[in-house]
Amino acid sequence: METTPGAFSLLLDAGTTRVDELVEELGHEPNGYFWEGVAQFLISTEAQTLEGRFSYDPEGDMFCAYGDDRSALEELATLMSSVATDGDRMRKLITSAEATGFEFDD
């Protein structure tokens, strides 16, 4: 969404996705901080070109990424949507992250 002219935010209400129960089963809390970790891991493994193109401001009940690069946020939205709606993809992401020593801040 465009919050002010030229400034954009990507929001996700934590606790409202199809994979929340799975995330909890895998030992994590599906809060805004967890989703920031998902975004960071996705960028580091699948979309390095997004690195540094926006900032994060999560809270317990919401994930937020923001900046002036609308296309970068739209690309992140596509990546995150694919994880938030697909249990197999989420399971693989968490397993891969933990195998590399990545820690979710949840």
Side-chain angles (χ1 to χ4, degrees):
M1 77 158 83
E2 188 169 20
T3 54
T4 60
F8 303 93
S9 292
L10 171 64
L11 305 175
L12 181 145
D13 289 327
T16 64
T17 72
R18 292 184 198 164
V19 296
D20 290 338
E21 191 173 303
L22 172 64
V23 170
E24 290 173 347
E25 287 173 15
L26 295 173
H28 297 281
E29 184 176 340
N31 60 29
Y33 304 103
F34 170 80
W35 285 104
E36 178 184 359
V38 169
Q40 291 172 344
F41 190 75
L42 285 168
I43 289 168
S44 72
T45 59
E46 298 180 26
Q48 293 88 4
T49 60
L50 294 179
E51 186 66 45
R53 293 174 60 190
F54 45 80
S55 299
Y56 301 103
D57 187 21
E59 296 181 12
D61 62 351
M62 178 187 69
F63 165 79
C64 177
Y66 65 93
D68 59 6
D69 189 339
R70 181 182 185 135
S71 65
L73 290 168
E74 288 174 343
E75 189 174 338
L76 177 62
T78 299
L79 284 170
M80 292 191 64
S81 178
S82 71
V83 175
T85 60
D86 183 338
D88 289 336
R89 182 137 159 72
M90 176 56 82
R91 183 181 302 279
K92 288 176 187 173
L93 181 139
I94 290 174
T95 301
S96 295
E98 291 174 347
T100 66
F102 184 89
E103 293 188 29
F104 295 95
D105 183 22
D106 58 340

